[in-house]
Structures are given as C-alpha cells and as structure tokens.
Amino acid sequence: MTPSITDSTVKAAIAAIASESATTQEKIEMLIELAQGLQKKPKTAQDLWSAVALYKRANEMCGDDYPLMKARAKVGMAGALRSIPEEGSELLLEAKTAYTEALPILQQLASKEEVAEVQMNLGLVLQSLVPFNLAQIADSIKAYQEALRVFTAENYPQEYAILHNNIAIAYLSISAGMEQKQLCEGLAVQTFESALQQINLIENPREYAMLQNNLGNALQYLQSTHPVENNLKAIAAYKEALKVRNPKDTPLEYANTISNKANALFNLPDDPEKPEAGNPQNLLKARAYYQEAWEIFTQHQHLEQAQVVAQALQEVQTEIQMNNEQLQGQN
C-alpha cells in the first residue's frame, strides 16, 4: 500500500480527534463516522484502506469499555476489507474474523436488524471463501437463513430477495455427484420461485428483475430430461426481467439479461413440437441479442463480458452459416 493524500488525511484526522476536548465515546463515534464516509462512496481502493485504518483506531480506543461501538467498528472494518478488490483470501479471512468476533456482542446489545445484516454479510464472506477451501457452503446458507428470520418479505422485501438470491446461487455452486447436483439445482430453482411468490414487479421492480434473470439462468442449465421445456420457462423468466431492465435506465443489467436470453434461444428449436426442424429463426434472434449486448458492454468498458459475448456471437454465426450451407446443399 503506497502512501497517498488519503493516508496523510487519515493521520491528520486521527491526530485532530486525539487533540479534541471531546469524550472518548465522542472520539470513537467521530472515527467511525469518518470511516463510514470513506466506505460509502470510495473513489479508489485507497479510500477503503483508509476506512480500515480509521475503524482499527476506533477499535483500539474502545478497549473493554465500549463493547457495542467496538463491535460496530469491527463490522465496518469487515465490510471495507471485503470490498477491497484484491485476489486471494487474506482480506476475506480478516473480514470473517471481524464479523465472527462482533456477532456475539451485537446479539446481546444491538437490534435484531443489525444482527441480521451482519449474518447476511458473513454469509457473503463465507461464500467467497468456499473456492479457496476455507469455508463450507452449508455455513454460508445457514448464515443467510438466520438473517431471513428477521428480514421477512413483508417488512424487508429488498433484503428478503437478496438473501433468497444468495441462497439459490449457493445451492448452484455446490460441487457434488450427478444425483446430488440435480437435487441442488432443483433447490435453487425452488428458492427463486419461492421468493418470486413474495416479490412483485410493481412494489420491488429491481429485486423482481434480479430474481427472474437468475431463475432463467438456473432453469436454462438445469440437468433434466426436459431441456426444451426448461428453456421455454427460462425465456419466460427473462421476458419478465426485461419488463424492468432496459437499455436506457439499466444498460448493463439489460445487456446481461439479453445475452442470457440469447443463450437459451441458441439451444431452443423454432417449433418445440418439431425439434428435428432445427432453430434457424431462434439463431437469428440470438445473434441480434448478442450483438446488442456486445455493443453495450463495449461502450461501458466491461471488456471481459464483451469478450464472452463476442465468443458466443462467433459461435452463433458459425451455426447460422452451417445451416445456410445445409439448405443450399439440399437445393
């Protein structure tokens, strides 16, 4: 971590707070408030590192006299650590430790909503540690389910939708034998569908679109003896998501959904009753969606996603060309 203006600003802030005639509690609160300001809208990763430094100083000042503020400083620090874009598991493990240490104190002294938010974020950290073999996906799901005791659909629809989305994605990430894999995929689909019984287009459009888009993905890749039926259901889900996502207001989400829809069309016969007739029309629709998605991702500098779509565009173009050659050969 290289020294920067932000570093010197943090040092100056800590020095200024130390020289204040405020009480220790007020100084701790000032440090936490400064850290939250940096964390809320970070311009660079350095801002997040600076927030971590401020939270650490607040944590030190708490000692054993201010347990609730100490727990809140740990939670803030964990949130900043998990947001820092860095490869590897070190920062995630630090975040996990901070959340785990804060939870028992919050369970005694804080509101149930504050506890549930920490459980939700702990679930995310655990889920991120699974690929490093440093956490179990079951523990992540358990943390999400604990948070759902508080974040009900009626009172907290946004958190409810996000938690169901995270649980479903956790099920999809479980690596297991074929039979168990099918079970997990089925549970993921059920989780999305269950959430969509509570989250509707009118009251929670953003969450509704997220759930429909991800339900479409889960259906599309479901290992089943009914792939055509699943692809039709997936396309119906993407259509629902596209009632919210559009190129003007949510261009990246829109591009994501139309590229997913193109994937489903690529594998769907034009007439589900006559799969042997192929899918020349759906291939053309898929190509148009891929092209539009590629343009949006490129325009917004999401080059990795643009590259993935470009590859798919090339594959669909090859498929269209082969179909055309077959037709010419028959004539």
Side-chain angles (χ1 to χ4, degrees), residues 97-326:
T97 300
Y99 281 136
T100 306
E101 288 174 354
L103 257 177
I105 301 165
L106 294 173
Q107 283 165 335
Q108 286 180 3
L109 303 173
S111 69
K112 59 184 183 180
E113 288 82 3
E114 194 171 347
V115 171
E117 190 175 345
V118 172
Q119 287 166 330
M120 185 174 177
N121 289 325
L122 175 60
L124 277 171
V125 169
L126 291 170
Q127 197 166 348
S128 300
L129 283 167
V130 171
F132 299 101
N133 295 317
L134 293 168
Q136 299 293 321
I137 202 70
D139 294 331
S140 172
I141 292 169
K142 186 182 175 185
Y144 293 140
Q145 287 171 336
E146 286 292 322
L148 276 172
R149 294 185 182 201
V150 176
F151 290 141
T152 60
E154 188 180 0
N155 298 323
Y156 299 95
Q158 184 180 21
E159 287 82 359
Y160 176 88
I162 290 167
L163 282 162
H164 274 78
N165 186 67
N166 292 352
I167 289 168
I169 290 170
Y171 280 134
L172 290 171
S173 71
I174 292 173
S175 55
M178 184 64 72
E179 197 173 322
Q180 195 180 350
K181 187 81 176 163
Q182 285 178 316
L183 175 65
C184 291
E185 288 172 349
L187 284 169
V189 169
Q190 283 177 21
T191 303
F192 285 127
E193 289 175 338
S194 169
L196 282 163
Q197 287 173 6
Q198 307 294 328
I199 302 298
N200 65 63
L201 174 64
I202 305 303
E203 292 172 359
N204 311 102
R206 190 177 179 84
E207 289 73 34
Y208 179 82
M210 172 189 71
L211 290 167
Q212 289 285 10
N213 177 75
N214 293 341
L215 170 62
N217 292 345
L219 283 163
Q220 191 179 162
Y221 300 110
L222 196 63
Q223 294 176 60
S224 155
T225 52
H226 309 286
V228 172
E229 187 183 330
N230 289 336
N231 269 333
L232 287 168
K233 286 180 182 176
I235 286 169
Y238 296 135
K239 281 181 181 175
E240 288 299 309
L242 291 170
K243 288 179 180 178
V244 178
R245 297 179 170 187
N246 62 73
K248 183 185 174 187
D249 302 317
T250 53
L252 293 170
E253 290 90 341
Y254 171 79
N256 186 267
T257 299
I258 61 171
S259 61
N260 291 337
K261 189 176 178 184
N263 292 340
L265 286 165
F266 189 99
N267 296 304
L268 186 70
D270 289 346
D271 183 350
E273 300 297 320
K274 298 177 182 175
E276 68 281 356
N279 63 341
Q281 295 307 311
N282 281 339
L283 288 173
L284 291 172
K285 289 178 192 172
R287 182 174 66 180
Y289 280 131
Y290 283 138
Q291 183 64 40
E292 188 181 1
W294 178 82
E295 287 168 6
I296 293 169
F297 285 136
T298 304
Q299 181 188 340
H300 289 268
Q301 294 295 301
H302 281 241
L303 302 181
E304 195 174 325
Q305 286 163 293
Q307 194 175 357
V308 171
V309 174
Q311 178 66 34
L313 192 55
Q314 195 174 356
E315 287 172 15
V316 79
Q317 186 58 47
T318 303
E319 197 72 23
I320 290 167
Q321 196 173 337
M322 283 170 63
N323 278 358
N324 290 341
E325 286 170 1
Q326 282 177 358

